[in-house]
Amino acid sequence: MASSVTYTSTLSDSEPTEFILPDLVSDIHYPLRLNPRYYPISRASEEWLLTGTHLTELEITTLMGLRAGELAAACYPDADAFHLRVCSDFFNWLSNMDDWLDAFDVDSTWGMRECCISALRDPINSETEKLGVKMCKSYFSRFRQTSSSGCTERFIRTMDLFFIAVAKQADDRAKKRIPDLKSYITVRRDTSACKPCFVFIEYAAGIDLPDEVMSHPVMIAVEEATNDFITWSNDIFSYNVEQSRHDTHNLVVVLMREQDLNLQGALDYSDWLCKGAIQRFEHNRAIIPSWGRELDKQVAIYLQGLQDWIIGVLHWSFDSTRYFGKDGHTVKRDRIIRLLPKRPL
């Protein structure tokens, strides 16, 4: 973590009309790699989702602007066509599931969790009429064709953590509760779904890391640093859209409340936290222990995958229409955001 930070902004009575986006792009110098197979696979994956769900016209427009296939191509640049397609299908499914869960109450979230985890445990024999669960069975039955048993179990466990955390988020939303920073960081590491996405690094590369490696404190630390940067930068990028719909599950909102900061001050603090996350990533990657020649090769592939995730999702955030509409490239250059009006309650 960076050693010190100074803020001049505190809460005031005046409401801002715009804010300056932290310059996260200039801070990260990792090379952006893109899987050359992505274009036809992305189109096929979008068609897969459209065929398997009943999306409205607005939802279809959102899907096409998401560019989930491009994100998969940036995060898994070395995957072959079969594995990249499963990764793309998972991203498309996850993004739609995330949007659906945003509208669910606690009981509905627990119900979806039960259906999806059952489908992951037994994608062949579990029966359901829920479209989202059917799509889950589709991608996961293909995932299991080549994944190791450890990789499969890690994916199911981390997806379960995702649903449990989203249920906690739904409870906070219903009770209009904003958590403290420490509690928020813990739950956000799971609502982000980064953990199952990181399992796909193993899957896409065809590696099999044993539990003794994945449970090592330094490996956990490097994963948490990656997760934190991705989720905190996402909170910065998504803040405008989320504040317009009164969503408080966001680092910026938590910091405004806990640190007594105004909007720009909280964004600057978030930027400082993101820089600290990258420092933690670099520090822990440098002290990864050795498990022998063959395992060390696999660990190096996994660590490269985490780096690809950091830079891939960073640039994708501006290419997708999810956060900045069609203005992503302008925002990336100028970093000035006009606040969206809040929707009526």
Side-chain angles (χ1 to χ4, degrees):
M1 182 67 70
S3 59
S4 65
V5 63
T6 302
Y7 306 101
T8 58
S9 300
T10 55
L11 288 172
S12 66
D13 294 333
S14 60
E15 290 292 332
T17 59
E18 62 183 30
F19 61 88
I20 300 172
L21 203 67
D23 189 11
L24 295 172
V25 174
S26 296
D27 292 336
I28 311 298
H29 302 290
Y30 305 140
L32 175 65
R33 305 190 301 142
L34 198 65
N35 195 307
R37 306 168 182 86
Y38 92 92
Y39 186 81
I41 291 174
S42 296
R43 302 293 80 76
S45 183
E46 290 165 352
E47 187 61 33
W48 168 80
L49 193 77
L50 290 173
T51 302
T53 56
H54 302 315
L55 299 182
T56 65
E57 205 164 313
L58 178 59
E59 288 170 334
I60 292 173
T61 300
T62 300
L63 169 67
M64 295 306 176
L66 177 66
R67 304 184 73 170
E70 180 181 310
L71 177 60
C75 294
Y76 314 109
D78 300 316
D80 63 25
F82 176 83
H83 290 84
L84 183 62
R85 171 60 194 276
V86 177
C87 294
S88 297
D89 287 356
F90 171 66
F91 280 7
N92 273 309
W93 172 85
L94 180 63
S95 296
N96 278 271
M97 178 60 66
D98 189 50
D99 289 342
W100 292 334
L101 292 173
D102 278 344
F104 281 13
D105 61 16
V106 176
D107 290 341
S108 297
T109 302
W110 282 116
M112 183 61 77
R113 173 208 178 214
E114 181 179 350
C115 291
C116 285
I117 297 303
S118 295
L120 293 176
R121 288 292 180 194
D122 190 0
I124 304 301
N125 297 315
S126 62
E127 296 184 4
T128 181
E129 293 303 315
K130 294 181 181 291
L131 296 177
V133 182
K134 286 183 176 181
M135 305 300 284
C136 175
K137 292 172 61 175
S138 171
Y139 76 74
F140 194 63
S141 62
R142 286 173 282 137
F143 176 97
R144 291 183 64 162
Q145 289 176 23
T146 60
S147 66
S148 68
S149 59
C151 185
T152 299
E153 184 56 37
R154 270 192 291 278
F155 179 76
I156 296 172
R157 178 175 56 81
T158 54
M159 279 304 301
D160 198 24
L161 291 174
F162 164 74
F163 280 109
I164 292 170
V166 171
K168 172 69 168 62
Q169 179 186 353
D171 187 53
D172 285 345
R173 183 170 60 239
K175 296 175 180 176
K176 302 186 185 305
R177 182 170 54 208
I178 300 176
D180 62 82
L181 181 59
K182 183 178 180 180
S183 299
Y184 176 77
I185 289 172
T186 299
V187 75
R188 187 70 174 99
R189 286 172 176 166
D190 288 318
T191 61
S192 69
C194 278
K195 293 176 182 179
C197 290
F198 294 166
V199 176
F200 270 83
I201 298 173
E202 293 182 77
Y203 167 76
I207 58 178
D208 184 14
L209 293 171
D211 287 341
E212 67 176 291
V213 172
M214 300 307 290
S215 62
H216 192 281
V218 178
M219 184 65 87
I220 292 173
V222 77
E223 281 188 334
E224 287 183 346
T226 308
N227 193 334
D228 289 344
F229 176 82
I230 292 168
T231 55
W232 297 343
S233 60
N234 176 265
D235 281 359
I236 292 171
F237 298 148
S238 64
Y239 171 77
N240 198 21
V241 172
E242 291 180 355
Q243 65 83 27
S244 73
R245 64 187 188 214
H246 308 274
D247 191 342
T248 58
H249 186 72
N250 187 291
L251 177 67
V252 178
V253 176
V254 171
L255 289 174
M256 288 175 71
R257 180 187 180 100
E258 181 161 310
Q259 301 294 326
D260 195 32
L261 296 167
N262 69 6
L263 174 57
Q264 193 62 56
L267 287 160
D268 294 343
Y269 199 143
S270 300
D271 180 33
W272 178 70
L273 289 173
C274 286
K275 287 180 171 66
I278 293 297
Q279 290 176 10
R280 284 188 284 123
F281 173 76
E282 291 290 352
H283 169 74
N284 286 286
R285 178 165 64 171
I287 61 171
I288 286 286
S290 173
W291 287 276
R293 183 176 178 182
E294 290 306 312
L295 269 182
D296 287 354
K297 288 180 181 178
Q298 295 190 42
V299 170
I301 291 171
Y302 186 75
L303 295 175
Q304 176 63 49
L306 294 176
Q307 177 180 298
D308 289 333
W309 252 98
I310 289 171
I311 193 65
V313 73
L314 180 61
H315 286 279
W316 167 85
S317 298
F318 297 96
D319 293 336
S320 171
T321 60
R322 191 169 180 88
Y323 309 116
F324 308 114
K326 296 180 180 179
D327 299 325
H329 293 286
T330 302
V331 170
K332 191 176 188 179
R333 182 192 66 214
D334 299 337
R335 300 190 291 115
I336 297 175
I337 306 288
R338 290 197 63 81
L339 278 169
L340 295 168
K342 292 187 183 294
R343 300 176 188 174
L345 289 172

